[in-house]
Amino acid sequence: MMGLKNSFVKKSVFLAVFAGGMFFLAGCWDRIEVNDLAIVTATGIDKSEDGQVELSLEIFIPKSMGGGSEGGGTAGGGGKETTMITYHKGSNLADALSKLQAEIPRKVFWGSCKIFIFGEAVAKDGIQEHVDFLLRHPQPRERAFIFVSRGKAKKVLDTKDTLERYSAEALRKVSSSKHGLSVTLQDLDKMLTSRDQNVVLPYLKIEEKSDGKQAQYAVFDGTVLFKEDRMAGTIPKSTTRGLLWIKDKLKDYTVTFELEEEKGNISIFPVKTKVDITPRIQNGEWKVIVDITTEGTVVENGTKLDLDNGESERKVKKAYSDRVEGRIRQAIEEAQDHGLDVVEYGRAFHRKYPQQWKKVKDRWEEVFPEVKTEFHIKASIRRQGYINEPIKAKEEK
């Protein structure tokens, strides 16, 4: 009996080891080598003239990285192009991708795609179906940045940036710097699936510069407002900064303004900012109190004001506060004009007044434009630099 038992144990161990080895061997059968992949760095989604979906891919060219490091813009070593643009159209994204895949020798790989751009025509028709495809597909990264382009997205992909090797890298770095609105695929999914569906996306346009040779590059041109999943309007770049202020997401921005009865400008860099939004319902009036505490550094003083003087400093603080309030108020008024609560007032009322919110949530786009905003701004200048006395005042002396 003991011999039979030992034999059974040995056979069981052998089978377990054999099965485990087969598992590891089987795991490699469908592996795809990097050399067989068409690595996508950016994607454009447009509407073709016949109403179909046009998919454009910016694909990395690995051969361009060989050799020396000469050349610039989108060129790699020896002046070779770093990326190529390929495109195809279809009845939807899946169909366009299938047709495009049939025409290129490598397997399309979206795992390194950093940028997705919707053309303006697609944004007006609705983006929900396209976002659904990107979220269902296993490869697109949720941290990829999303944009809407003025005109066709394909044209944005085809721009040549002087500092970066290809357009996707330039757009990724601009988005990461937080100078403008920054929205990822994950953020967009949350916006579209939220109850209010207040979607905002950064707006791109192509600018041209000619300094001996013609150059095109993509720049921020404000913000696109969506009603549900369709483009409903835009707000300019200056107003977008007000939207970022109230969302407490503005980074590395300089506030420049003039003072009454003073010639020249003063520029202040906000070093520290805190924004608090408090909803209030009183006597049937819906109001939001916006408390902003901001500290800034004077980075340029083009006036004759000496900021060591208490009265001069008070003037500058007042002008700084007015400038901040003006930008934020403009953003709120733009949102209310469109009836789109992109400043998230509704969410604040929902948290503090759940019972009253239930009565208006189904007609919030009618109530939101009537909500009043009251500002309480406390501005201070943390430091004025090593030279307190302005240059103009010194020159007069």
Side-chain angles (χ1 to χ4, degrees):
M1 288 295 291
M2 184 63 69
L4 288 173
K5 185 175 181 181
N6 289 337
S7 176
F8 176 77
V9 170
K10 288 179 180 179
K11 288 181 179 179
S12 300
V13 171
F14 174 79
L15 288 173
V17 172
F18 179 78
M22 291 298 291
F23 173 80
F24 286 109
L25 287 173
C28 301
W29 72 271
D30 62 346
R31 185 178 65 184
I32 300 176
E33 299 290 343
V34 174
N35 291 340
D36 297 325
L37 296 177
I39 299 174
V40 180
T41 57
T43 299
I45 303 170
D46 289 305
K47 182 179 179 180
S48 64
E49 292 181 0
D50 58 0
Q52 295 193 79
V53 175
E54 187 173 81
L55 175 66
S56 302
L57 302 179
E58 182 183 64
I59 296 176
F60 181 69
I61 304 174
K63 289 189 295 183
S64 67
M65 297 307 292
S69 58
E70 297 179 1
T74 57
K80 297 177 182 177
E81 291 293 319
T82 306
T83 57
M84 59 173 280
I85 307 296
T86 183
Y87 62 94
H88 215 299
K89 60 183 181 180
S91 56
N92 56 25
L93 271 183
D95 184 41
L97 177 61
S98 176
K99 292 176 178 176
L100 191 151
Q101 180 65 82
E103 294 184 356
I104 58 177
R106 295 189 175 196
K107 179 72 174 176
V108 172
F109 178 68
W110 259 327
S112 296
C113 185
K114 305 164 185 173
I115 303 293
F116 289 95
I117 306 172
F118 293 108
E120 195 166 13
V122 168
K124 289 178 179 178
D125 280 354
I127 62 174
Q128 179 72 68
E129 181 181 344
H130 308 309
V131 174
D132 183 64
F133 172 79
L134 296 176
L135 291 170
R136 288 176 184 274
H137 198 287
Q139 291 178 0
R141 301 191 307 179
E142 290 188 343
R143 290 186 178 182
F145 294 106
I146 310 294
F147 302 89
V148 173
S149 67
R150 178 185 289 185
K152 283 208 164 191
K154 178 184 171 185
K155 291 184 178 180
V156 175
L157 297 186
D158 209 24
T159 56
K160 310 296 182 184
D161 190 85
T162 306
L163 293 176
E164 303 300 335
R165 292 176 296 167
Y166 46 93
S167 58
E169 184 64 8
L171 289 172
R172 184 193 69 81
K173 288 188 175 180
V174 170
S175 295
S176 300
S177 67
K178 305 292 184 181
H179 289 172
L181 188 66
S182 177
V183 179
T184 65
L185 182 58
Q186 185 180 43
D187 296 332
L188 179 57
D189 180 35
K190 290 179 180 178
M191 291 178 191
L192 287 170
T193 54
S194 66
R195 180 177 177 83
D196 47 17
Q197 290 187 313
N198 292 315
V199 178
V200 287
L201 291 177
Y203 200 26
L204 295 176
K205 73 172 181 179
I206 297 174
E207 279 198 355
E208 295 187 4
K209 276 193 176 179
S210 181
D211 50 354
K213 62 178 182 179
Q214 200 72 17
Q216 287 187 334
Y217 55 97
V219 297
F220 283 118
D221 194 34
T223 300
V224 180
L225 306 178
F226 284 77
K227 187 172 184 178
E228 295 179 350
D229 73 324
R230 297 174 187 270
M231 180 175 173
T234 62
I235 57 177
K237 185 162 55 176
S238 58
T239 309
T240 297
R241 294 192 181 107
L243 180 62
L244 293 173
W245 266 101
I246 197 169
K247 288 176 173 286
D248 204 8
K249 292 182 179 180
L250 189 62
K251 306 293 181 184
D252 297 336
Y253 173 62
T254 301
V255 180
T256 301
F257 52 87
E258 291 181 326
L259 285 82
E260 291 184 10
E261 301 177 357
E262 291 291 338
K263 292 182 180 180
N265 295 319
I266 291 181
S267 294
I268 293 181
F269 178 77
V271 178
K272 184 179 178 182
T273 301
K274 183 182 179 183
V275 180
D276 290 313
I277 294 178
T278 306
R280 182 177 298 170
I281 301 176
Q282 197 170 33
N283 300 323
E285 181 184 65
W286 291 53
K287 180 191 290 187
V288 170
I289 312 297
V290 178
D291 289 292
I292 299 176
T293 303
T294 177
E295 293 180 86
T297 298
V298 176
V299 292
E300 186 170 342
N301 182 3
T303 70
K304 298 176 183 178
L305 291 175
D306 183 357
L307 299 184
D308 272 345
N309 180 284
E311 182 61 30
S312 296
E313 186 179 1
R314 279 192 290 274
K315 284 183 179 180
V316 172
K317 288 180 181 178
K318 176 67 167 56
Y320 177 39
S321 299
D322 291 344
R323 186 70 167 177
V324 172
E325 179 179 336
R327 283 288 173 85
I328 298 176
R329 188 178 293 279
Q330 187 178 2
I332 294 169
E333 289 175 354
E334 289 269 6
Q336 289 181 319
D337 288 342
H338 287 93
L340 301 173
D341 183 14
V342 295
V343 290
E344 300 179 350
Y345 278 6
R347 189 172 298 179
F349 279 107
H350 185 194
R351 285 196 299 263
K352 188 169 182 180
Y353 301 99
Q355 297 305 316
Q356 290 92 327
W357 170 254
K358 287 180 182 179
K359 298 175 182 178
V360 302
K361 65 180 182 180
D362 294 329
R363 55 185 185 88
W364 180 242
E365 65 179 47
E366 300 173 12
V367 176
F368 169 62
E370 304 301 321
V371 176
K372 307 297 181 184
T373 304
E374 183 179 311
F375 288 91
H376 298 161
I377 300 179
K378 182 180 179 182
S380 60
I381 299 173
R382 178 182 289 185
R383 57 184 183 272
Q384 302 162 18
Y386 294 108
I387 302 174
N388 290 323
E389 190 175 10
I391 298 296
K392 286 187 177 180
K394 286 185 176 181
E395 288 176 348
E396 288 189 357
K397 288 181 181 179

